[in-house]
């Protein structure tokens, strides 16, 4: 479990990501934005579930969930989260390299909010900006299936 | 049966002969003349199976001397050819039951095959048996030969059959192996898809991210040359990304589901034309399309085909010459189309796509459809060399053919043929 320094404590983000570089890029992207954010990170799915199911744990406003993780993968975590009363309303955003239609279908069916594809930092910045703005306005709701994969190119 | 008729005729003559108690050797009697006329060996046995009379043919046939057999028991004649229990029994019954013995087959030791016919006659209280013999050795031999030939041809047939069965078995085994290989290859392809879409892109993305971070945050520490190196590195990484993405698109073209829909090709053309509108305007180009036809196609693939052909034509333009793309389509039978791989009786949709661009050396007309085959450097014309390979695969998915023809600086022309009837 790594807790980074609070950037501007307001929106609480949780990132489950096993890749050190990707955690680094995520932080870099957040730094480029003006939102008040606190970021907690876990290294894999097991750590994530341990964190979330701990009594009195602070639930994030949004969870960013990688798919390919050791021990417990992103989909397994998503399914568990949506089965638990305390956790099921927490928005989950999938953050992964590949966008396979059938994988996206499964994730949408299992209650994920959005699917953000890992591309370059510029795109990640745009995607985070969009999501954080929705959180601030309390408008982060599940979109229609066709808008599930967040196409950052359209945000340009 | 002719033999029996003769014997029957002979029997009345025989009565005379017997009446007169003729002895063999006395020539020219009525009885003897008739018996001599019989062209087969003939003997008469008395009721105790002793030779009562025989004709010359009989003596000749079995190499007997007249006096050596007369009055002797048939079964005890020289050579023991007649010492046959079965024959004894049959002749006994013939005599006792007054019946005929028909076509009794005898095989002698000298390999002669004989058919024996016998019937009974009574004279007063004496009984005689008339016996004719027919040599069927040749017939038997012929039958045997035919049987052998038949047997042989059956054997040959059998061995051919076995050979064929073996070949079929071998081929089936080969096919099974091939199927296994294919399944394995498909599986590998799937995992390749995953690796290239995920694992391969992952480190690449990181290289791109890190180099853009350097250019952004460490710019001031870099010399002009350093910055140039980084820019070139980014371009290279970007190119690699395009290659991976195109390769994936290529492999997906093969594996995708094939759903044929009757489609108005004009609609597809309009959709693609719209995509390129800006680029065509920018180059002051023109698209000249005659009315296309309706044909059964895999919509999204056919759109991709047109897309790639447009992209190709708009890429390889000549500086200062406004690009003109001409598209025509017609329906014709294979016999009426000038391409020798077509089935003459099948009806095809024939699409011609031509431009006035840089064209190509005709010797490369096959090669331009191969994956990663490029006729120009990346610096001259961008691209990964997969576009036309995808075109070829799409046309093949439609059971069709695509050919390219062209001359340097005289434009390129693509001919697409695909059958109208789909499975």
């Amino acid at each position: 479990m790594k807790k980074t320094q609070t950037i501007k404590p307001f929106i609480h983000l949780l990132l489950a990501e096993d890749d050190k570089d990707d955690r680094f890029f995520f932080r870099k992207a957040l730094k480029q934005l003006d939102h008040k954010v606190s970021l907690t990170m876990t290294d894999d799915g097991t750590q994530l579930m341990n964190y979330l199911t701990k009594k009195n744990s602070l639930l994030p406003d949004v969870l960013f969930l990688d798919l390919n993780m050791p021990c417990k993968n992103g989909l397994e975590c998503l399914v568990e989260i949506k089965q638990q009363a305390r956790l099921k309303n927490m928005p989950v955003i999938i953050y992964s390299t590949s966008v396979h239609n059938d994988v996206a279908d499964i994730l949408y069916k299992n209650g994920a909010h959005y699917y953000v594809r890992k591309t370059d930092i510029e795109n990640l910045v745009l995607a985070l900006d969009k999501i954080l703005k929705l959180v601030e306005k309390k408008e982060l709701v599940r979109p229609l299936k066709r808008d599930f994969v967040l196409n950052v190119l359209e945000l340009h | 049966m002719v033999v029996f008729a003769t014997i029957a005729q002979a029997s009345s003559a025989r009565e005379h002969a017997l009446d007169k108690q003729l002895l063999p050797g006395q020539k020219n009697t009525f009885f003897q003349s008739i018996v001599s006329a019989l062209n087969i060996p003939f003997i008469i046995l008395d009721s105790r199976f002793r030779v009562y009379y025989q004709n010359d043919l009989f003596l000749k046939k079995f190499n007997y001397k007249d006096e050596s057999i007369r009055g002797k028991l048939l079964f005890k004649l020289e050579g023991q050819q007649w010492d046959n229990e079965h024959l004894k029994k049959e002749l006994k019954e013939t005599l006792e039951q007054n019946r005929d013995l028909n076509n009794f087959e005898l095989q002698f030791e000298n390999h002669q095959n004989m058919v024996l016919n016998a019937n009974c006659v009574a004279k007063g209280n004496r009984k005689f048996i008339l016996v004719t013999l027919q040599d069927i050795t040749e017939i038997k031999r012929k039958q045997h030969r035919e049987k052998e030939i038949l047997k042989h041809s059956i054997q040959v047939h059998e061995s051919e059959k076995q050979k064929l069965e073996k070949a079929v078995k071998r081929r089936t085994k080969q096919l099974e192996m091939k199927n296994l290989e294919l399944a394995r290859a498909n599986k590998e392809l799937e995992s390749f898809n995953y690796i290239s879409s995920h694992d391969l892109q992952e480190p690449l993305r990181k290289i791109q991210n890190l180099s853009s971070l350097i250019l952004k945050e460490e710019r001031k520490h870099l010399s002009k040359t350093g910055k140039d190196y980084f820019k070139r590195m980014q371009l290279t990484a970007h190119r690699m990304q395009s290659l991976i993405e195109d390769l994936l698109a290529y492999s997906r073209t093969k594996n995708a589901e094939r759903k044929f829909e009757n489609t108005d090709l004009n609609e597809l053309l309009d959709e693609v034309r719209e995509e390129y509108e800006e680029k065509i305007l920018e180059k002051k180009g023109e698209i000249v399309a005659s009315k296309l036809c309706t044909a059964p196609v895999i919509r999204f693939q056919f759109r991709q085909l047109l897309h790639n052909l447009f992209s190709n034509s708009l890429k390889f333009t000549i500086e200062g010459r406004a690009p003109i793309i001409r598209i025509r389509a017609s329906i014709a039978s294979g016999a009426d189309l000038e391409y020798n791989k077509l089935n003459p009786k099948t009806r095809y949709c024939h699409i011609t796509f031509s431009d006035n661009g840089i064209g190509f050396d005709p010797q490369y007309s096959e090669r331009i459809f191969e994956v990663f085959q490029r006729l120009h450097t990346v610096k001259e014309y961008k691209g990964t060399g997969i576009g036309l390979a995808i075109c070829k695969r799409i046309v093949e998915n439609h059971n069709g053919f695509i050919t390219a023809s062209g001359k340097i600086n005289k434009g390129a022309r693509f001919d697409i043929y695909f059958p109208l009837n789909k499975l």
Side-chain angles (χ1 to χ4, degrees), chain A residues 19-22 24-25 28 32 68 95-98 100 117-122, chain B residues 193-194 197-199 201-202 205-210 212-213 216-217 241 245 252:
Chain A
D19 190 295
K20 196 166 77 85
D21 295 326
D22 277 324
F24 167 73
F25 294 138
K28 274 281 175 195
Q32 289 185 30
N68 253 333
Y95 180 53
S96 177
T97 315
S98 67
H100 279 294
R117 192 182 176 195
K118 289 180 184 173
T119 53
D120 52 34
I121 292 188
E122 283 71 29
Chain B
N193 276 345
Y194 184 74
S197 67
H198 187 268
D199 298 15
Q201 285 178 349
E202 190 97 357
R205 183 175 52 81
K206 287 181 184 174
I207 292 169
Q208 285 174 309
N209 274 345
L210 289 168
S212 69
L213 278 176
K216 202 172 200 168
E217 296 176 3
Q241 196 188 339
E245 278 166 6
R252 261 189 236 116

Side-chain angles (χ1 to χ4, degrees), chain A residues 39-51:
Chain A
L39 175 64
T40 306
M41 295 191 277
T42 66
D43 287 351
D44 59 50
T46 314
Q47 269 194 24
L48 170 75
M49 293 317 294
N50 286 344
Y51 173 84

Side-chain angles (χ1 to χ4, degrees), chain B residues 177-193 251 254-255:
Chain B
M177 295 287 284
K178 278 262 184 290
N179 275 342
L180 273 177
E181 269 172 42
L182 204 65
R184 207 158 36 222
N186 271 336
K187 219 172 179 124
E188 271 170 23
L189 196 68
E190 269 171 39
S191 70
F192 169 76
N193 276 345
S251 72
K254 187 85 184 179
N255 294 313

Side-chain angles (χ1 to χ4, degrees), chain B residues 149-396:
Chain B
I149 290 169
L150 195 69
K151 219 162 106 188
H152 179 70
S153 79
I154 286 171
Q155 273 171 358
V156 169
H157 187 77
E158 267 302 311
S159 84
E160 283 298 318
K161 201 174 127 193
Q162 274 174 6
K163 264 189 216 161
L164 261 173
E165 274 171 3
K166 244 183 182 165
V168 168
K169 256 187 198 153
R170 203 166 48 228
R171 193 83 192 107
T172 310
K173 187 117 193 166
Q174 280 174 348
L175 278 176
E176 277 168 5
M177 295 287 284
K178 278 262 184 290
N179 275 342
L180 273 177
E181 269 172 42
L182 204 65
R184 207 158 36 222
N186 271 336
K187 219 172 179 124
E188 271 170 23
L189 196 68
E190 269 171 39
S191 70
F192 169 76
N193 276 345
Y194 184 74
I195 288 167
S196 49
S197 67
H198 187 268
D199 298 15
L200 268 178
Q201 285 178 349
E202 190 97 357
L204 189 62
R205 183 175 52 81
K206 287 181 184 174
I207 292 169
Q208 285 174 309
N209 274 345
L210 289 168
S211 66
S212 69
L213 278 176
I214 291 171
L215 276 177
K216 202 172 200 168
E217 296 176 3
E218 305 295 319
R219 201 176 190 87
K220 53 184 183 297
H221 302 300
L222 284 174
S223 69
K224 205 182 159 203
T225 319
K227 276 178 231 165
D228 179 48
Y229 288 168
F230 266 101
K231 268 187 195 139
R232 280 158 66 180
M233 195 174 94
Q234 276 187 312
L235 281 175
T236 308
H238 185 74
R239 179 163 164 71
M240 177 146 180
Q241 196 188 339
S242 310
L243 278 169
I244 293 171
E245 278 166 6
D246 283 358
L247 200 59
L248 264 174
Y250 180 67
S251 72
R252 261 189 236 116
T253 324
K254 187 85 184 179
N255 294 313
E257 195 192 341
R258 296 182 190 183
K259 192 177 148 216
F260 290 94
E261 287 172 81
N262 245 337
T263 305
D264 183 356
L265 298 182
N266 294 295
E267 276 176 32
L268 286 188
L269 179 65
D270 287 343
E271 285 175 30
V272 178
R273 200 205 300 237
E274 229 165 82
E275 284 176 51
Y276 283 102
E277 209 157 33
E278 215 172 303
K279 195 158 193 180
I280 292 164
L281 263 170
E282 181 193 306
K283 292 201 170 196
K284 297 191 170 64
E286 199 185 341
I287 292 173
V288 186
S290 63
K291 197 166 155 37
L292 305 183
C293 52
T294 298
V297 297
I298 309 165
R299 276 188 81 105
F300 79 97
Q301 286 199 3
F302 218 80
R303 190 187 296 116
Q304 178 80 49
L305 170 69
L306 292 174
H307 180 96
N308 288 10
L309 287 174
F310 267 102
S311 161
N312 192 69
S313 286
L314 290 172
K315 187 190 290 175
F316 299 107
T317 53
I318 291 174
E319 190 82 42
R321 187 192 287 175
I324 300 173
I325 296 171
R326 291 175 201 277
I327 306 158
R328 272 183 295 132
S330 61
I331 289 171
S333 66
D336 297 330
L337 289 165
E338 285 173 15
Y339 187 56
N340 58 12
K341 285 185 186 165
L342 303 179
N343 182 341
K345 285 178 187 160
T346 305
R347 286 178 68 69
Y348 290 89
C349 176
H350 175 208
I351 298 174
T352 315
F353 193 102
S354 55
D355 63 45
N356 60 346
I358 62 167
F360 60 88
D361 187 332
Q363 65 168 309
Y364 298 125
S365 61
E366 297 276 342
R367 220 168 114 180
I368 58 173
F369 291 113
E370 287 171 24
V371 182
F372 294 138
Q373 286 300 327
R374 299 169 44 82
L375 303 180
H376 307 274
T377 64
V378 180
K379 206 176 162 193
E380 287 176 296
Y381 297 98
K382 278 184 190 162
T384 52
I386 290 184
L388 288 178
I390 290 180
C391 286
K392 183 165 190 214
R393 209 167 239 194
I394 289 173
V395 175
E396 280 169 358

